[in-house]
Amino acid sequence: MSDEKPPPSRESALERVQIMTKFTPQAQALGIEITRFEPGRIWGKAPYREELVGDPETGVIAGGVITTLLDQVCGTAAVSGMKSPVPVATIDLRIDYMRPATPGKDIHAEAHCYKLGRSVAFVRAVAYDETPDNPVAHAVAAFMVNSNNGRKMGANLKPKKS
């Protein structure tokens, strides 16, 4: 008999990634939601709200909202691709802004974890307000995968002396 657990159902896996977002204070403050899930792929959105506008003259949503959305969906995509999920931490996040978001429109994002190693996950993502074919921004990211059996991450953490 194998000790390996069966993979979670699609419903429980979606709930898990939605809970990850709810426990991220910045994502919660911005109203970020995970809207769709496939193993290694996540779709999410940041709803348009007046208080999230970066330029009141144009009504364009702040770039930081898009950055947070992309970081959130990228990290969640990395975790969603794991058989046994563990925490991840952003190592690198590169975002290219391609055009201003359309005022009044929600920002949607899609992320794909295309390589999951023992210690690093690699993810691509796109943010858009209409379709992914006309992106507001695209991102590439790398995440440290916590492979130390649930202990806190960080190279400078030393075990406590007894």
Side-chain angles (χ1 to χ4, degrees), residues 2-13:
S2 172
D3 289 337
E4 191 173 315
K5 295 178 186 176
S9 69
R10 287 184 61 79
E11 292 78 20
S12 67

Side-chain angles (χ1 to χ4, degrees), residues 1-51:
M1 206 163 149
S2 172
D3 289 337
E4 191 173 315
K5 295 178 186 176
S9 69
R10 287 184 61 79
E11 292 78 20
S12 67
L14 177 60
E15 288 172 7
R16 183 178 68 230
V17 297
Q18 288 172 332
I19 287 169
M20 283 175 53
T21 301
K22 287 180 184 175
F23 285 103
T24 305
Q26 180 72 0
Q28 188 176 16
L30 297 176
I32 292 174
E33 302 172 36
I34 300 302
T35 58
R36 186 172 156 203
F37 160 86
E38 291 177 12
R41 286 189 182 272
I42 293 292
W43 289 259
K45 77 171 185 173
Y48 184 88
R49 298 191 327 237
E50 288 295 323
E51 65 268 23

Side-chain angles (χ1 to χ4, degrees), residues 5-158:
K5 295 178 186 176
S9 69
R10 287 184 61 79
E11 292 78 20
S12 67
L14 177 60
E15 288 172 7
R16 183 178 68 230
V17 297
Q18 288 172 332
I19 287 169
M20 283 175 53
T21 301
K22 287 180 184 175
F23 285 103
T24 305
Q26 180 72 0
Q28 188 176 16
L30 297 176
I32 292 174
E33 302 172 36
I34 300 302
T35 58
R36 186 172 156 203
F37 160 86
E38 291 177 12
R41 286 189 182 272
I42 293 292
W43 289 259
K45 77 171 185 173
Y48 184 88
R49 298 191 327 237
E50 288 295 323
E51 65 268 23
L52 302 180
V53 168
D55 182 353
E57 288 185 22
T58 64
V60 173
I61 199 163
V65 174
I66 297 168
T67 297
T68 301
L69 174 62
L70 287 168
D71 191 27
Q72 186 71 35
V73 297
C74 284
T76 307
V79 172
S80 77
M82 299 175 187
K83 288 182 183 175
S84 298
V86 296
V88 297
T90 308
I91 297 172
D92 184 46
L93 177 64
R94 177 196 161 127
I95 299 174
D96 292 318
Y97 288 90
M98 306 171 96
R99 65 176 180 84
T102 304
K105 299 262 185 183
D106 294 346
I107 303 297
H108 301 270
E110 177 182 343
H112 172 229
C113 181
Y114 62 93
K115 174 69 175 165
L116 182 58
R118 286 185 320 154
S119 58
V120 181
F122 299 91
V123 184
R124 294 183 190 111
V126 63
Y128 55 94
D129 49 23
E130 292 284 336
T131 69
D133 297 333
N134 187 21
V136 171
H138 74 90
V140 291
F143 292 85
M144 180 173 68
V145 175
N146 184 3
S147 58
N148 59 7
N149 296 321
R151 296 187 314 259
K152 290 185 179 180
M153 290 190 282
N156 296 325
L157 295 176
K158 296 179 182 176

